Amino acid sequence: MPSYTPTLLQHINLPVPKGTLHLAQEFYGDVIGFESDPVPHLQKDFLLWFRIGDGPQQIHVAFENISPDSNIISSRHPCFQLPSPESLLALQKRIYEHKQSGVKSAAMECDQPGEENSGSKGVEYPTRFFARDYAGNRLEFSAAST
Protein backbone atom coordinates (compact mmCIF):
# COMPACT_ATOMS: atom_id res chain seq x y z
CA MET A 1 0.00 0.00 0.00
CA PRO A 2 1.43 3.43 -0.92
CA SER A 3 2.41 5.67 2.01
CA TYR A 4 -0.18 8.29 0.98
CA THR A 5 -3.15 5.88 1.24
CA PRO A 6 -5.51 6.64 4.16
CA THR A 7 -5.42 4.01 6.90
CA LEU A 8 -8.53 4.84 8.91
CA LEU A 9 -11.98 6.39 8.56
CA GLN A 10 -11.56 9.00 11.31
CA HIS A 11 -15.08 10.48 11.31
CA ILE A 12 -18.27 11.00 9.37
CA ASN A 13 -20.20 14.28 9.57
CA LEU A 14 -24.01 14.04 9.77
CA PRO A 15 -26.23 17.10 9.33
CA VAL A 16 -29.11 18.04 11.62
CA PRO A 17 -31.48 21.05 11.53
CA LYS A 18 -30.49 24.12 13.53
CA GLY A 19 -31.69 24.06 17.12
CA THR A 20 -31.74 20.26 17.42
CA LEU A 21 -28.38 19.39 19.03
CA HIS A 22 -30.26 18.36 22.16
CA LEU A 23 -32.15 15.80 20.08
CA ALA A 24 -28.89 14.53 18.59
CA GLN A 25 -27.45 14.22 22.11
CA GLU A 26 -30.50 12.22 23.19
CA PHE A 27 -30.48 9.94 20.12
CA TYR A 28 -26.76 9.31 19.63
CA GLY A 29 -25.74 9.60 23.28
CA ASP A 30 -28.67 8.35 25.36
CA VAL A 31 -30.35 5.93 22.96
CA ILE A 32 -27.43 4.51 20.97
CA GLY A 33 -24.93 4.94 23.79
CA PHE A 34 -22.08 6.78 22.05
CA GLU A 35 -19.84 8.70 24.47
CA SER A 36 -19.47 12.45 23.86
CA ASP A 37 -16.07 13.82 22.92
CA PRO A 38 -15.06 17.46 23.43
CA VAL A 39 -15.57 19.73 20.42
CA PRO A 40 -13.41 22.68 19.35
CA HIS A 41 -14.15 25.70 21.53
CA LEU A 42 -15.18 27.89 18.56
CA GLN A 43 -17.84 25.38 17.51
CA LYS A 44 -19.27 24.15 20.81
CA ASP A 45 -22.76 25.52 20.08
CA PHE A 46 -22.87 24.23 16.50
CA LEU A 47 -21.80 20.59 16.66
CA LEU A 48 -21.40 17.48 18.76
CA TRP A 49 -18.77 14.76 18.56
CA PHE A 50 -19.44 11.17 19.59
CA ARG A 51 -16.76 8.51 19.97
CA ILE A 52 -17.36 5.10 18.42
CA GLY A 53 -16.13 2.44 20.85
CA ASP A 54 -12.68 2.87 22.36
CA GLY A 55 -10.96 3.87 19.15
CA PRO A 56 -10.34 7.14 17.37
CA GLN A 57 -13.41 6.93 15.11
CA GLN A 58 -16.14 9.50 15.64
CA ILE A 59 -19.53 10.70 14.45
CA HIS A 60 -19.79 14.48 14.12
CA VAL A 61 -23.28 16.01 14.20
CA ALA A 62 -23.51 19.57 12.89
CA PHE A 63 -26.09 22.08 11.71
CA GLU A 64 -26.86 22.18 8.03
CA ASN A 65 -29.79 24.12 6.63
CA ILE A 66 -29.67 23.43 2.93
CA SER A 67 -32.74 23.21 0.73
CA PRO A 68 -32.73 21.33 -2.58
CA ASP A 69 -32.94 24.68 -4.39
CA SER A 70 -29.93 26.15 -2.59
CA ASN A 71 -26.59 26.91 -4.22
CA ILE A 72 -24.85 26.02 -0.96
CA ILE A 73 -22.83 22.81 -1.12
CA SER A 74 -23.33 20.25 1.64
CA SER A 75 -20.84 19.95 4.52
CA ARG A 76 -21.52 16.19 4.88
CA HIS A 77 -18.24 14.34 4.68
CA PRO A 78 -16.07 11.46 5.81
CA CYS A 79 -12.63 12.14 7.26
CA PHE A 80 -9.85 9.76 6.29
CA GLN A 81 -6.80 9.54 8.56
CA LEU A 82 -3.28 9.07 7.26
CA PRO A 83 -0.38 7.82 9.37
CA SER A 84 1.77 10.98 9.27
CA PRO A 85 1.89 14.64 8.20
CA GLU A 86 4.32 13.60 5.43
CA SER A 87 1.87 11.05 4.00
CA LEU A 88 -0.92 13.62 4.26
CA LEU A 89 1.10 16.14 2.25
CA ALA A 90 1.97 13.48 -0.36
CA LEU A 91 -1.73 12.69 -0.85
CA GLN A 92 -2.68 16.36 -0.99
CA LYS A 93 -0.10 16.95 -3.73
CA ARG A 94 -1.45 13.95 -5.70
CA ILE A 95 -5.06 15.13 -5.49
CA TYR A 96 -4.14 18.74 -6.28
CA GLU A 97 -2.01 17.75 -9.29
CA HIS A 98 -4.81 15.50 -10.53
CA LYS A 99 -7.25 18.42 -10.16
CA GLN A 100 -4.92 20.63 -12.17
CA SER A 101 -4.89 18.03 -14.98
CA GLY A 102 -8.54 18.73 -15.74
CA VAL A 103 -9.47 15.11 -16.51
CA LYS A 104 -13.07 14.03 -15.89
CA SER A 105 -12.20 12.17 -12.67
CA ALA A 106 -10.35 15.18 -11.21
CA ALA A 107 -11.43 16.72 -7.92
CA MET A 108 -13.74 19.72 -8.24
CA GLU A 109 -11.86 21.39 -5.39
CA CYS A 110 -8.72 20.69 -3.38
CA ASP A 111 -6.82 22.82 -0.91
CA GLN A 112 -3.52 23.82 -2.49
CA PRO A 113 -0.52 22.27 -0.73
CA GLY A 114 1.23 24.83 1.48
CA GLU A 115 -1.78 27.17 1.55
CA GLU A 116 -4.43 27.64 4.24
CA ASN A 117 -7.04 24.85 4.41
CA SER A 118 -10.67 25.53 3.58
CA GLY A 119 -11.99 24.14 6.87
CA SER A 120 -12.54 25.87 10.17
CA LYS A 121 -9.43 26.99 12.01
CA GLY A 122 -8.55 26.41 15.63
CA VAL A 123 -5.84 25.00 17.81
CA GLU A 124 -7.89 21.84 18.34
CA TYR A 125 -7.57 20.75 14.72
CA PRO A 126 -4.84 18.42 13.50
CA THR A 127 -3.06 18.92 10.22
CA ARG A 128 -5.66 18.39 7.50
CA PHE A 129 -6.97 19.37 4.10
CA PHE A 130 -10.25 19.19 2.21
CA ALA A 131 -11.21 18.23 -1.34
CA ARG A 132 -14.40 17.64 -3.31
CA ASP A 133 -14.39 14.67 -5.63
CA TYR A 134 -15.55 14.90 -9.26
CA ALA A 135 -19.18 14.47 -8.08
CA GLY A 136 -18.98 17.20 -5.43
CA ASN A 137 -18.64 14.97 -2.36
CA ARG A 138 -16.68 16.71 0.38
CA LEU A 139 -13.69 14.75 1.70
CA GLU A 140 -11.48 15.55 4.66
CA PHE A 141 -8.02 14.07 5.15
CA SER A 142 -6.09 14.36 8.43
CA ALA A 143 -2.79 13.22 9.86
CA ALA A 144 -2.66 11.01 12.92
CA SER A 145 -1.96 12.92 16.13
CA THR A 146 1.58 12.49 17.36
Side-chain angles (χ1 to χ4, degrees), residues 8-141:
L8 177 74
L9 179 62
Q10 198 276 333
H11 74 260
I12 186 94
N13 187 69
L14 301 173
V16 297
K18 288 183 180 178
T20 66
L21 284 183
H22 66 289
L23 300 176
Q25 177 63 54
E26 183 178 320
F27 180 76
Y28 289 101
D30 300 342
V31 176
I32 295 178
F34 289 131
E35 294 290 326
S36 294
D37 272 347
V39 300
H41 177 71
L42 297 175
Q43 295 178 312
K44 66 179 181 168
D45 296 326
F46 304 101
L47 72 129
L48 296 171
W49 287 358
F50 297 97
R51 184 175 51 263
I52 300 173
D54 295 329
Q57 294 175 327
Q58 295 178 324
I59 294 173
H60 294 184
V61 178
F63 295 145
E64 183 169 80
N65 190 17
I66 297 175
S67 72
D69 300 328
S70 175
N71 289 331
I72 299 172
I73 299 174
S74 175
S75 67
R76 300 172 192 167
H77 67 276
C79 177
F80 298 99
Q81 184 173 306
L82 285 88
S84 69
E86 295 79 17
S87 59
L88 180 71
L89 182 58
L91 179 60
Q92 185 176 15
K93 287 177 179 177
R94 286 179 59 81
I95 294 173
Y96 189 78
E97 288 168 3
H98 191 244
K99 175 190 177 299
Q100 296 300 99
S101 75
V103 298
K104 287 186 179 183
S105 65
M108 292 174 64
E109 299 173 8
C110 179
D111 291 339
Q112 185 173 348
E115 299 294 321
E116 195 169 76
N117 76 55
S118 60
S120 299
K121 312 302 181 286
V123 297
E124 298 95 340
Y125 289 107
T127 302
R128 67 185 182 159
F129 75 93
F130 290 89
R132 284 197 187 271
D133 70 12
Y134 68 92
N137 294 303
R138 187 175 194 217
L139 306 172
E140 180 179 351
F141 300 90

